Amino acid sequence: MTLISSDRLRFPCEPWQLMETTHAPNDDDGTLETLMAIGNGHLGIRGARSVGGEGVLPGTFINGFHETWDIKHAENAFGFARTGQRIVYVPDAGNFSVSIDGEALSMAESTILDYRRSVDFATGIYQCTVLWACRSGATVTTIARRAVGFDSRGSLGIELSITADREVSADVTSAIINRQDQPVEEQSIHDPRRAGRHADRILVPLHLQGTGGSLRLAWETAASHQRVAMAVDHRISGEQQPFETVVGPDQSTVRWVFAIEGGQTFRLEKSVSYVTAEQSVAEDRGEQLAAAAEAALVGVGAIFAESIAHYQRYWTTADIVLTGQPELQQAVRWNLFQLSQATARAGVSGIPAKGVSGSGYEGHYFWDQEIYLLPYLTYTNPDGARMVLQSRHLMLPEARRRAAELNVDGALFPWRTINGLEASAYYAAGTAQFHIASAIAFAANRYEWASGDTEFRGEIGADLLVETARMWVSLGFFGKDGLFHIHGVTGPDEYTAVVNDNLYTNVMARFNLRAAAALDGHPGVGETERLVWRQAADRMSLPYDAHLQVHSQDNDFMTLEPWDWSTPRSKYPLLLHYHPLVIYRHQVLKQADTVLAMFLQWQDFTPEEKQRAFDFYDPITTGDSTLSACVQGIMAAEVGYRDTALRHFTEAVFIDLDNSHANTIDGVHIASAGGIWSSLVSGFAGMRDQGAVLHFDPRLPFDWDGLSFNLIVRGRLLAVNLGPDAIGFTLGDGYDTAPLELSVRGTRIQVTGGEWTTVPLEAVPVPAPSVFPSSFPTAGFPVIGTGLS
């Protein structure tokens, strides 16, 4: 499936925009609402058109604003997740209806002469321009623009302008719509990756007030008792007063009826402020929160200015330039733009798997944020990375209680959550993924290493390392063979579940234990406990198949029946077409697992071990997870397969732009976007960290002219410029300019400001691929897989 890359007439290749130049009503509309969404990490609004129709899945979201419910298990058991959590659609302000000379302008029914919809990466501004041929003979242009605030993170600014070529009668209504409580089809029944919807009413009105074109509204969620209020002010270019202002629990409107002279432009500015809170004091029926929203109102022009200023700053440090690759450059910038939209003003909070661009994965926080997003944040926005880790630290009380519930010590973080409680109802692919603990420890260690934040360890980092280490040493055990084993776990590959000694889990737990043991003077940690941590790490069981000379994904993976690779593409993703038990008993991967371990713990494996693992696992990895292609590409680059690396990277960079997993409608795959950053920086530039110094071993694709980017490293802005034959470094202005020591393919260099330090690069030969014995599935498998007899 392709979308953007296959139709460059409709979606021209613009370096700083994603633009749609023709209106083609089809199944892509919902996907484009995601691709054109805007947000700031706290507040997001999907890219549905403001004029001419309802859209497919329009909506507005606030990070962390959610409803809860009791999970009903058909067959319950002790320790199962009990509290479901789901992000809520907050009342949506991006809605207008426009009638000209009695004709309601409609994308479905009106005559459209010209059309443009775009989102601008350089400014963060969404714009939709439509030229209408009205039945009255008038030609009318509508332009809808919107942006979110950054200094004022709860603010949304919308501007609607209408121009006619002759005098017309106009009827314009601006609406606030509660989309959460609208009847919709339940999509999660057919696809567990999609968000569910509540059957009962969620947003209970607390305060509804409107007069003279201004609205002050507040609601409370029925079960979680979170509150949201919004203040809305309108300002128009003429003297007209609103014809009417109507308020209601599910729709509030302000309406104008007026004439537009030929050649004149009517302009309407809609300033919106959202404020959220936990349940307020009993005497506040929403008035106080609505007043707080009113006090936070910012003019539309100021909101647009905030957005422009933010992206001017952002691109100064975050841009990645691909020389001579215009289509990939646009796609890379779109992904980097999404990363800012998902994280910039999130505050002390997790990052939802879809950011604030949609309701997919229920708005939950996963391990994705630590492994796929925190590298990007650590090196482009260290303060943002610290706040994500602070949000994990705030979850420690719940994590300790969850650990006790599962009979382990320390802290056990939830696999998926918003409020700190486990929300994954399927433990085999949820709670059994204990490796989230090491993901958090790894991200904390990386942040401290890369940032030089001297206060982080005492405030946050040490607690995360210690509590997760305690969990690991109590979860595992020393076996009769003298090795330390961790049983009954699921690794990143969810097509193999509840196994013994998953290699990724064990390798990352080993890192976690060693990092905790290296802490000095942490209160409550004695030398005996440190010794046990060191022994567990040093004796960690790492499954290895001596016959194939490759690390096994777990103790039994090499004994599984191979998957039938003649399975038609229509049967993928496998999770939508096969019972989990069918998948579990076969040698097939949803996503990189062992290969990911070798990327993250790069110093623990030899080049030969990495190559053989890649050669073995890459062909049996379906890529059914959007988290896979980026990692496969990074390791392909490291082992020397540059063409394979570029193929995986290209697949990853267009995952949402081409809707290749057929679920972009539910929001941007933010972790995959983070993986794009890592693919460029860690893959093609070969950056590795947490060693003695920052290390580079580049593998630029053969037909690329160059790659350049910036990293914030220990208070310095490190500029990197990679070409086919050399890599250069310098320190940027506005940051610490003390020399920075780096390593390029084992050679130490000192980088200073004011001049470039350039290191020549020898060509890296393409290695001969490993050869493994062929395996074939049993004859009976196609019957199981297809249901045919």
Side-chain angles (χ1 to χ4, degrees), residues 396-645:
L396 273 174
E398 291 85 0
R400 291 186 180 107
R401 285 191 288 271
R402 182 62 171 162
E405 193 171 41
L406 269 73
N407 286 53
V408 292
D409 298 332
L412 177 57
F413 287 91
W415 176 243
R416 54 189 301 173
T417 191
I418 297 176
N419 62 11
L421 300 177
E422 179 62 79
S424 177
Y426 183 51
Y427 73 88
T431 300
Q433 298 204 53
F434 291 88
H435 65 83
I436 190 172
S438 57
I440 293 168
F442 183 72
N445 196 76
R446 165 183 273 151
Y447 168 79
E448 182 181 353
W449 185 93
S451 68
D453 184 343
T454 57
E455 297 179 352
F456 174 76
R457 177 180 294 186
E459 295 175 357
I460 296 172
D463 287 342
L464 294 176
L465 288 171
V466 167
E467 293 300 291
T468 49
R470 286 171 172 160
M471 188 280 295
W472 286 122
V473 84
S474 63
L475 178 66
F477 65 98
F478 291 96
K480 295 179 181 179
D481 56 2
L483 299 179
F484 190 79
H485 299 274
I486 303 175
H487 286 184
V489 300
T490 299
D493 170 34
E494 294 174 346
Y495 284 176
T496 311
V498 194
V499 299
N500 296 337
D501 289 332
N502 168 255
L503 184 92
Y504 174 91
T505 300
N506 287 17
V507 166
M508 293 299 288
R510 180 173 67 178
F511 164 85
N512 194 161
L513 290 162
R514 285 174 173 166
L519 292 172
D520 294 324
H522 187 73
V525 178
E527 189 54 39
T528 300
E529 190 171 29
R530 294 181 203 278
L531 178 62
V532 173
W533 292 346
R534 293 190 191 102
Q535 287 293 313
D538 292 344
R539 300 185 187 187
M540 188 68 69
S541 174
L542 302 181
Y544 184 80
D545 188 296
H547 174 64
L548 296 175
Q549 297 181 0
V550 66
H551 283 88
S552 177
Q553 184 167 301
D554 58 68
N555 276 349
D556 297 318
F557 187 82
M558 296 306 186
T559 69
L560 299 178
E561 178 184 358
W563 183 259
D564 179 6
W565 292 103
S566 67
T567 303
R569 290 306 309 171
S570 61
K571 293 291 185 179
Y572 293 84
L574 301 182
L575 63 94
L576 298 185
H577 299 92
Y578 298 91
H579 191 283
L581 291 175
V582 175
I583 300 173
Y584 293 164
R585 65 175 177 260
H586 287 89
Q587 211 174 74
V588 58
L589 277 67
K590 182 183 180 187
Q591 65 198 77
D593 194 297
T594 299
V595 168
L596 176 59
M598 293 183 173
F599 162 49
L600 298 179
Q601 298 302 316
W602 58 281
Q603 299 177 94
D604 290 355
F605 298 91
T606 67
E608 294 75 21
E609 287 173 333
K610 293 175 186 177
Q611 184 194 346
R612 288 191 69 80
F614 182 85
D615 289 344
F616 182 82
Y617 290 106
D618 195 61
I620 62 174
T621 303
T622 62
D624 284 353
S625 168
T626 59
L627 301 179
S628 192
C630 54
V631 175
Q632 291 172 269
I634 290 169
M635 287 304 293
E638 178 173 345
V639 302
Y641 301 148
R642 299 197 201 188
D643 290 341
T644 301

Side-chain angles (χ1 to χ4, degrees), residues 220-238:
E220 182 178 80
T221 53
S224 66
H225 300 297
Q226 293 191 321
R227 293 187 169 194
V228 60
M230 60 191 304
V232 184
D233 277 357
H234 295 87
R235 178 181 176 184
I236 64 172
S237 55

Side-chain angles (χ1 to χ4, degrees), residues 73-400:
H73 297 278
E75 296 185 22
N76 208 348
F78 180 81
F80 277 12
R82 294 181 292 272
T83 304
Q85 304 140 51
R86 181 176 293 143
I87 196 169
V88 170
Y89 287 74
V90 298
D92 182 23
N95 316 285
F96 298 92
S97 59
V98 178
S99 293
I100 301 295
D101 295 330
E103 176 192 356
L105 300 184
S106 166
M107 299 298 296
E109 298 179 4
S110 298
T111 300
I112 298 172
L113 301 177
D114 195 20
Y115 170 87
R116 293 285 189 278
R117 178 168 52 162
S118 66
V119 62
D120 191 310
F121 314 149
T123 64
I125 295 174
Y126 164 100
Q127 179 168 317
C128 184
T129 303
V130 185
L131 182 64
W132 312 82
C134 299
R135 289 194 289 267
S136 65
T139 300
V140 172
T141 301
T142 61
I143 303 176
R145 303 170 71 228
R146 56 182 176 243
V148 293
F150 284 84
D151 296 331
S152 54
R153 69 174 191 164
S155 297
L156 168 66
I158 308 173
E159 179 186 85
L160 173 66
S161 64
I162 306 172
T163 305
D165 68 341
R166 65 187 69 184
E167 183 175 350
V168 298
S169 173
D171 189 330
V172 177
T173 298
S174 169
I176 306 297
I177 300 176
N178 169 17
R179 299 192 182 280
Q180 177 63 49
D181 294 307
Q182 303 292 317
V184 294
E185 181 184 357
E186 174 60 84
Q187 297 288 343
S188 62
I189 295 174
H190 312 292
D191 185 343
R193 301 171 300 175
R194 302 199 64 181
R197 295 298 288 266
H198 295 270
D200 300 325
R201 184 173 184 89
I202 300 304
L203 292 177
V204 179
L206 296 177
H207 179 73
L208 304 172
Q209 182 184 37
T211 182
S214 294
L215 302 169
R216 306 292 184 261
L217 312 167
W219 294 262
E220 182 178 80
T221 53
S224 66
H225 300 297
Q226 293 191 321
R227 293 187 169 194
V228 60
M230 60 191 304
V232 184
D233 277 357
H234 295 87
R235 178 181 176 184
I236 64 172
S237 55
E239 299 292 332
Q240 302 92 341
Q241 293 298 311
F243 179 78
E244 63 179 359
T245 301
V246 179
V247 296
D250 293 329
Q251 182 164 309
S252 298
T253 59
V254 181
R255 181 184 175 200
W256 291 264
V257 179
F258 52 91
I260 302 177
E261 296 182 8
Q264 299 298 306
T265 297
F266 166 82
R267 184 167 289 103
L268 167 62
E269 293 184 349
K270 186 175 186 178
S271 177
V272 185
S273 171
Y274 291 92
V275 173
T276 61
E278 300 296 329
Q279 185 172 12
S280 303
V281 294
E283 59 268 19
D284 176 20
R285 291 299 302 160
E287 293 92 338
Q288 294 178 20
L289 201 60
E294 179 178 4
L297 275 169
V298 177
V300 170
I303 294 170
F304 277 55
E306 284 183 19
S307 183
I308 293 169
H310 165 76
Y311 283 104
Q312 285 178 339
R313 295 189 300 268
Y314 175 71
W315 292 112
T316 299
T317 56
D319 193 20
I320 299 180
V321 177
L322 283 60
T323 308
Q325 300 292 325
E327 293 202 9
L328 286 176
Q329 179 70 80
Q330 181 196 34
V332 165
R333 283 209 177 107
W334 181 87
N335 278 274
L336 296 174
F337 179 62
Q338 299 308 318
L339 288 171
S340 176
Q341 295 202 120
T343 64
R345 296 290 284 127
V348 180
S349 170
I351 309 301
K354 299 290 189 178
V356 285
S357 67
S359 61
Y361 297 112
E362 317 281 13
H364 291 165
Y365 316 137
F366 292 79
W367 74 304
D368 307 9
Q369 66 182 16
E370 279 79 23
I371 296 299
Y372 290 83
L373 289 174
L374 264 295
Y376 150 80
L377 277 177
T378 297
Y379 288 105
T380 64
N381 179 10
D383 290 343
R386 194 186 207 275
M387 286 190 283
V388 172
L389 292 166
Q390 184 180 350
S391 75
R392 287 295 196 186
H393 190 263
L394 292 173
M395 292 181 183
L396 273 174
E398 291 85 0
R400 291 186 180 107

